[in-house]
């Protein structure tokens, strides 16, 4: 299959399916190996960006999905239904951040870190399809293990778990100092 | 120390501790444990929560703080490498870890706002394609799964459910349902007081089986004391309560009904 | 609004709506009169054709819709029809075992036993034709009742539901005692 057609097929598939499509499936259809397919898609992603197109392609943990460009939101919302917005409480967000960074993780581990029970937050996150059960830990009681979903990646604009904002305690201290200095500066002015 | 009029809502004991540390501009690695403990206790005294589960978590931390406070007064413990151990070290680690995840949750919140501006599209498959369901290869799906293994899985699920039930609390729950009969308890204690001139509360309890029995018995003792049927004395805290019976005093009949209200 | 942005907005709207959008609506959003908007869209239609893109824009009685190019149909079929690899995860198996041994059973009962939501597993099991809806429980909210299917019996080599091994009450008592002993041990330490 010639290159131009391969790109057209990928575009057509991502458009029609709406949801994310595995790299391996796309590769199969355009009769190419996964490595080449990935390269083609990445080139397309770049070109879409350069051309300031209305749509873009995002990567979600080895799958690809077509979506609108974020900057156009204010115009689109005049016609399109806005996606269901849900506000996550601090409790739920804290629980989610622990699960995102420590997965696979049990309820008990989450509770140890937060110092409070997390049943409610965990159930809410499952309900919102932001986390899922990953199986059970091979330990007494065989507790459930939780991890994040593809919906999590989409909702937080994260390509894959490696793409999560860095977690670094020292950096944290730096941030804090910076913030304090900034405030000091403002006060001095 | 001034307590803010409106108490903030805290996510948990660690959240409250971090707030106090920030407020006092304290170095997290060198927490003045006495000050922080005092402020912490002051806060939870003001907390108005009916939820015992939440409260117990805050109280647990209070106990930890007091424990650290005690250890700070004692000579420092030395670990295997011969270094002095800081009793605060474990708490500091916990606080730092918690703080890190809390910070990351703010980062995630920001990202969610940006990501929320992206719109997707529902699938628009031709109807005949949308209706198509690829056949399931059940042999492949089942693999080495069989009925015996499914049964094992069910047993382990049920066992896990049993594990989750706290036998102490669950028994307590059951007792609340089949109430201890106050009238019977009253008559029992009264008869006991008539038969024994002087007796210990503990001796009385030996005839009781459950926690609810003990509680009701204690209430009955208080009632009997109020009407002058008995006198009690206790030398020191946690000593046995010594009960002396006044044989001449008759318990008014309406007391039975009154006691039942409690 | 500059021209490039107008085109991006039109593309994004037609993509996210999936269905046809009135010319007047598009004109309103890109802040242009209908005549100019029509001209812009027609130019886009032409360009999409020249570039042999995977999607095209079609006009439908004064409205516009984005769709895939007809020639690519065979590839779309390939993706949509490519066999899915199903795996019975722990979660799905646990849910199936509860339904098998406690049927007819509601979602709520399953969740009570497992301690987490079971929507996903139940949907997957229905999709696999291993469980089905049996009707509704005569209780507030009239919740759905689930039970196993003939396919379930076939797959597990069971002649009828009576063949399912029983979990006897004595065993249940054993579990309870074990749990109590474990906790007692912890308290004693």
């Amino acid at each position: 299959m010639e290159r131009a057609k391969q790109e057209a097929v990928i575009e057509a598939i991502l458009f029609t399916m709406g949801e994310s499509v595995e790299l391996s499936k796309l590769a199969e259809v355009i009769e190419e190996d996964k490595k080449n397919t990935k390269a083609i898609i990445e080139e397309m992603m770049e070109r879409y960006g350069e051309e300031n197109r209305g749509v873009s392609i995002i990567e979600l943990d080895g799958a690809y999905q077509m979506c609108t460009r974020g900057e156009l939101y204010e115009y689109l919302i005049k016609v399109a239904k806005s996606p269901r917005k849900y506000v996550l409480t601090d409790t739920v967000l804290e629980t989610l951040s622990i699960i995102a960074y420590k997965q696979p993780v049990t309820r008990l581990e989450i509770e140890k870190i937060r110092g409070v029970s997390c049943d409610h937050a965990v159930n809410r996150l499952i309900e919102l399809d932001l986390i899922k059960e990953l199986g059970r830990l091979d330990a007494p009681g065989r507790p459930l293990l939780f991890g994040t979903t593809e919906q999590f990646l989409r909702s937080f604009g994260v390509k894959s778990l490696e793409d999560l904002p860095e977690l670094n305690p020292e950096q944290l201290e730096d941030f804090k100092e910076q913030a304090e200095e900034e405030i000091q500066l403002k006060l001095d002015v | 120390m001034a307590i803010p009029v409106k108490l903030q809502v805290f996510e948990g004991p660690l959240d409250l501790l971090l707030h106090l540390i920030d407020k006092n501009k304290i170095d997290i690695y060198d927490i003045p444990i006495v000050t922080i403990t005092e402020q912490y206790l002051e806060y939870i005294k003001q907390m108005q929560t009916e939820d015992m589960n939440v409260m117990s978590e805050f109280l647990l931390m209070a106990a930890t703080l007091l424990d650290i406070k005690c250890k700070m007064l004692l000579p420092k413990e030395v670990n295997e490498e011969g270094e002095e151990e800081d009793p605060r070290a474990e708490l500091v680690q916990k606080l730092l870890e918690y703080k890190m995840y809390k910070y990351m949750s703010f980062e995630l919140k920001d990202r969610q706002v940006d990501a929320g501006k992206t719109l997707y599209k529902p699938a628009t498959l031709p109807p005949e394609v949308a209706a198509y369901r690829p056949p399931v290869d059940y042999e492949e799906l089942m693999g080495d799964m069989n009925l015996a293994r499914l049964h094992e899985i069910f047993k382990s699920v049920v066992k896990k459910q049993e594990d989750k039930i706290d036998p102490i609390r669950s028994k307590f729950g059951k007792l609340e349902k089949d109430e201890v009969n106050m009238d019977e308890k009253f008559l029992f204690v009264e008869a006991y007081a008539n038969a024994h001139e002087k007796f210990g509360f503990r001796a009385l309890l030996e005839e009781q089986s459950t926690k609810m029995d003990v509680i009701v018995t204690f209430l009955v003792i208080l009632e009997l004391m109020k009407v002058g049927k008995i006198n009690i004395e206790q030398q020191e805290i946690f000593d046995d309560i010594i009960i002396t019976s006044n044989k001449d005093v008759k318990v008014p009949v309406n007391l039975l009904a009154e006691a039942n209200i409690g």
Side-chain angles (χ1 to χ4, degrees), chain A, chain B:
Chain A
M1 203 185 295
E2 58 180 289
R3 174 65 181 259
K5 188 165 186 188
Q6 290 179 322
E7 292 193 8
V9 169
I10 291 170
E11 187 178 60
I13 290 172
L14 293 182
F15 169 80
T16 304
M17 300 302 284
E19 59 193 41
S20 69
V21 183
E22 300 271 336
L23 173 64
S24 57
K25 262 192 190 172
L26 290 170
E28 205 185 303
V29 179
I30 66 164
E31 295 157 12
E32 198 70 69
D33 64 27
K34 284 210 261 181
K35 197 171 142 260
N36 284 338
T37 309
K38 195 175 154 80
I40 294 173
I41 299 173
E42 274 167 6
E43 229 184 277
M44 288 171 73
M45 288 163 89
E46 207 171 308
R47 190 147 27 84
Y48 279 30
E50 280 165 12
E51 291 172 358
N52 279 317
R53 295 267 304 270
V55 295
S56 59
I57 300 174
I58 53 165
E59 189 190 335
L60 295 164
D61 202 15
Y64 295 89
Q65 184 164 11
M66 195 178 270
C67 61
T68 62
R69 245 175 55 218
E71 302 96 275
L72 303 174
Y73 183 73
E74 54 170 318
Y75 304 105
L76 305 187
I77 215 62
K78 290 178 183 166
V79 183
K81 249 196 309 183
S82 83
R84 209 165 50 96
K85 286 257 157 64
Y86 43 84
V87 180
L88 299 176
T89 62
D90 288 353
T91 308
V92 173
L93 268 171
E94 272 179 35
T95 308
L96 180 60
S97 99
I98 294 169
I99 294 171
Y101 286 96
K102 279 199 87 111
Q103 60 186 304
V105 64
T106 64
R107 275 211 182 90
L108 194 69
E109 287 175 273
I110 301 168
E111 284 171 12
K112 261 194 195 157
I113 292 171
R114 295 196 55 236
V116 275
S117 106
C118 67
D119 280 4
H120 175 76
V122 165
N123 288 341
R124 175 93 181 116
L125 286 167
I126 287 181
E127 215 176 277
L128 292 171
D129 190 28
L130 292 173
I131 66 163
K132 63 181 176 197
E133 297 168 16
L134 293 180
R136 290 187 181 280
L137 185 68
D138 200 6
R142 304 208 3 95
L144 282 167
L145 288 163
F146 297 96
T148 51
T149 59
E150 187 185 278
Q151 181 59 35
F152 164 80
L153 298 178
R154 239 190 320 268
S155 301
F156 290 87
V158 183
K159 261 195 278 182
S160 69
L161 292 180
E162 283 86 57
D163 188 41
L164 280 172
E166 286 265 343
L167 189 80
N168 181 344
E170 279 166 37
Q171 209 175 14
L172 251 177
E173 281 305 305
D174 286 352
F175 284 142
K176 217 189 117 194
E177 273 169 36
Q178 277 173 27
E180 278 170 13
E181 276 168 26
E182 275 167 31
I183 291 174
Q184 211 53 48
L185 275 174
K186 278 185 203 149
L187 290 177
D188 289 346
V189 168
Chain B
M1 177 208 144
I3 296 292
V5 181
K6 196 176 158 221
L7 281 176
Q8 244 178 289
V9 180
F10 294 100
E11 290 299 317
L14 288 165
D15 200 25
L16 170 53
L17 266 185
L18 278 180
H19 167 79
L20 293 175
I21 286 165
D22 278 353
K23 201 175 66 112
N24 290 289
K25 297 201 177 9
I26 294 168
D27 177 2
I28 200 165
Y29 291 102
D30 189 19
I31 303 169
I33 213 80
V34 176
T35 320
I36 286 295
T37 306
E38 273 171 17
Q39 292 186 8
Y40 183 92
L41 290 175
E42 196 61 34
Y43 259 96
I44 60 173
K45 219 188 275 172
Q46 311 267 322
M47 275 177 55
Q48 290 181 348
T49 173
E50 305 274 299
D51 189 339
M52 278 316 289
N53 284 325
V54 173
M55 203 56 209
S56 66
E57 282 155 352
F58 280 90
L59 288 172
L60 185 66
M61 176 57 76
T64 310
L65 286 172
L66 290 169
D67 183 43
I68 295 173
K69 193 172 144 185
C70 291
K71 283 192 184 141
M72 298 285 284
L73 297 171
L74 297 171
K76 293 248 164 76
E77 275 177 44
V78 175
N79 68 12
E80 286 155 5
E81 277 104 58
E83 291 161 353
E84 284 186 352
E85 289 212 41
D86 190 332
R88 297 170 299 181
E90 205 186 318
L91 180 66
V92 169
Q93 275 316 308
K94 273 192 95 160
L95 278 168
L96 282 176
E97 192 179 17
Y98 174 70
K99 192 176 174 176
M100 187 162 70
Y101 288 114
K102 194 176 166 66
Y103 181 83
M104 293 329 285
S105 77
F106 294 136
E107 287 269 298
L108 286 177
K109 205 175 189 172
D110 287 347
R111 288 211 170 204
Q112 193 192 15
V113 172
D114 288 341
K117 292 185 176 151
T118 304
L119 301 186
Y120 297 88
K121 166 190 164 293
T124 40
L125 292 167
E128 74 276 15
V129 179
Y132 178 78
R133 289 275 169 277
V136 180
D137 181 345
Y138 282 99
E139 213 164 292
E140 192 192 332
L141 179 73
M142 297 303 288
D144 53 357
M145 179 52 52
N146 56 39
L147 195 60
R149 286 192 54 197
L150 188 71
H151 189 231
E152 285 305 312
I153 290 169
F154 181 63
K155 280 202 292 193
S156 75
V157 171
V158 173
K159 180 175 185 316
K160 261 208 53 97
Q161 192 197 8
E162 295 299 336
D163 279 349
K164 269 196 297 199
I165 299 168
D166 174 348
I168 294 165
R169 272 198 239 179
S170 64
K171 262 183 201 153
F172 202 77
K174 264 183 231 155
L175 279 168
E176 277 181 328
K177 271 177 224 151
D178 52 42
E179 294 159 26
V180 177
N181 190 315
M182 197 88 174
D183 292 353
E184 274 175 23
K185 190 64 70 191
F186 217 104
L187 295 170
F188 167 78
V189 177
E190 195 193 0
Y192 195 96
N194 284 331
H196 304 75
E197 199 168 315
K198 191 171 181 177
F199 55 98
F201 186 59
R202 276 180 200 158
L204 181 62
L205 287 186
E206 267 165 26
E207 318 234 348
Q208 321 286 330
S209 50
T210 67
K211 198 178 262 180
M212 193 47 84
D213 274 314
V214 175
I215 293 168
V216 174
T217 308
F218 188 70
L219 289 175
V220 169
I221 292 288
L222 292 179
E223 278 299 327
L224 288 173
M225 189 179 78
K226 206 173 90 186
V227 299
K229 169 75 189 165
I230 55 170
N231 295 319
I232 65 169
E233 59 182 314
Q234 187 182 31
Q235 297 289 344
E236 279 186 48
I237 291 181
F238 300 128
D239 260 7
D240 198 5
I241 301 166
I242 305 300
I243 301 161
T244 330
S245 163
N246 296 325
K247 284 221 164 71
D248 325 329
V249 180
K250 284 269 176 277
V251 180
V253 184
N254 65 350
L255 193 61
L256 286 174
E258 202 181 295
N260 255 337
I261 297 166

